[in-house]
Amino acid sequence: MVLSKKKARDVLEQIIALYPDVKTILTYRNNFELLIAVLLSAQTTDIAVNKVTPALFERFPTPKDFAIASPEEIEPYIKTIGLYRNKAKHIYQCANQLVEQFNGEIPHTRPELESLAGVGRKTANVVLSVGFDIPAFPVDTHVSRVCKHHKIVPQNATPLQIEKIVTGILPRELWNQAHHSIIFFGRNICSPRNPKCDEYIHID
């Protein structure tokens, strides 16, 4: 059983009210650095990514710097995070695409972002939402878990289904903040092993 749309919206709004102003903890100075940081964050923590990006961006400050390097030159900078060989290859390919197809700029439409190597819907949504402040709702493991735990979506819902359900419940102007608020709620309150949601969320 899933909650009615009205009750689901009420739960989501309570979560946003708990964390009304939180933002990503990834550190970046521009949308290119944001894109690379999000690429690196797959199946690893944002904290782990933040440890490797300062030296990485010092060595490769622009897409062109990555593009004239090689995956093997990128690997040593990111080898402490998961799937680093694959990620180095994707970053190299992505940088070349940015230089050749987008004049070194980060595109700001989902189809263009998803045309980049290593960039799926979630990564594209993060860049749209965080980088360009365009309403989008990225679904990561925290978002998926919280939405299923609170019966906002069915237990077998895919990330795309979760995105469509939540964006159908909340007005566009809340999508970006909802994403961040749910992540913090998932990290701090709705944890996988010992959720304390009942102390904070009340369903009438």
Side-chain angles (χ1 to χ4, degrees), residues 29 33 52-62 65-66 77:
R29 293 169 297 192
E33 290 189 359
V52 304
T53 47
L56 179 71
F57 294 141
E58 189 177 338
R59 169 66 181 83
F60 306 103
T62 68
D65 294 303
F66 278 107
Y77 291 89

Side-chain angles (χ1 to χ4, degrees), residues 102-123:
F102 299 102
N103 202 26
E105 298 294 318
I106 305 299
H108 58 271
T109 71
R110 187 184 284 114
E112 288 175 318
L113 284 164
E114 288 189 24
S115 75
L116 299 170
V119 177
R121 190 176 180 92
K122 189 205 89 172
T123 298

Side-chain angles (χ1 to χ4, degrees), residues 62-70 91-92 95-96 99:
T62 68
K64 189 175 180 184
D65 294 303
F66 278 107
I68 59 175
S70 68
I91 290 168
Y92 172 73
N96 274 281
V99 171

Side-chain angles (χ1 to χ4, degrees), residues 1-180:
M1 270 299 283
V2 295
L3 296 178
S4 68
K5 199 168 174 179
K6 183 172 180 294
K7 285 185 176 175
R9 177 167 175 168
D10 183 44
V11 170
L12 290 166
E13 288 179 344
Q14 286 183 62
I15 292 171
I16 295 168
L18 286 168
Y19 296 99
D21 303 308
V22 290
K23 300 290 176 232
T24 182
I25 64 168
L26 288 172
T27 52
Y28 64 95
R29 293 169 297 192
N30 53 55
N31 284 346
F32 173 63
E33 290 189 359
L34 173 65
L35 173 64
I36 299 302
V38 178
L39 274 178
L40 289 172
S41 72
Q43 294 181 27
T44 192
T45 66
D46 291 354
I47 293 165
V49 173
N50 288 342
K51 286 177 182 171
V52 304
T53 47
L56 179 71
F57 294 141
E58 189 177 338
R59 169 66 181 83
F60 306 103
T62 68
K64 189 175 180 184
D65 294 303
F66 278 107
I68 59 175
S70 68
E72 291 73 26
E73 286 175 78
I74 298 166
E75 283 179 13
Y77 291 89
I78 62 172
K79 66 178 184 295
T80 57
I81 63 174
L83 310 172
Y84 74 94
R85 285 200 176 91
N86 226 15
K87 290 174 181 177
K89 192 166 62 183
H90 283 150
I91 290 168
Y92 172 73
Q93 293 168 340
C94 175
N96 274 281
Q97 287 174 280
L98 289 170
V99 171
E100 292 164 13
Q101 299 169 27
F102 299 102
N103 202 26
E105 298 294 318
I106 305 299
H108 58 271
T109 71
R110 187 184 284 114
E112 288 175 318
L113 284 164
E114 288 189 24
S115 75
L116 299 170
V119 177
R121 190 176 180 92
K122 189 205 89 172
T123 298
N125 278 339
V126 172
V127 174
L128 291 172
S129 169
V130 178
F132 292 103
D133 200 27
I134 294 169
F137 187 74
V139 176
D140 69 358
T141 52
H142 291 293
V143 171
S144 177
R145 191 182 72 251
V146 169
C147 288
K148 289 176 181 180
H149 180 81
H150 285 280
K151 299 183 171 56
I152 293 162
V153 302
Q155 293 304 303
N156 61 350
T158 64
L160 182 57
Q161 288 169 333
I162 294 168
E163 179 188 335
K164 290 193 181 308
I165 290 168
V166 173
T167 55
I169 292 169
L170 290 175
R172 282 173 66 85
E173 62 268 20
L174 289 181
W175 294 357
N176 292 353
Q177 188 57 55
H179 162 69
H180 295 300

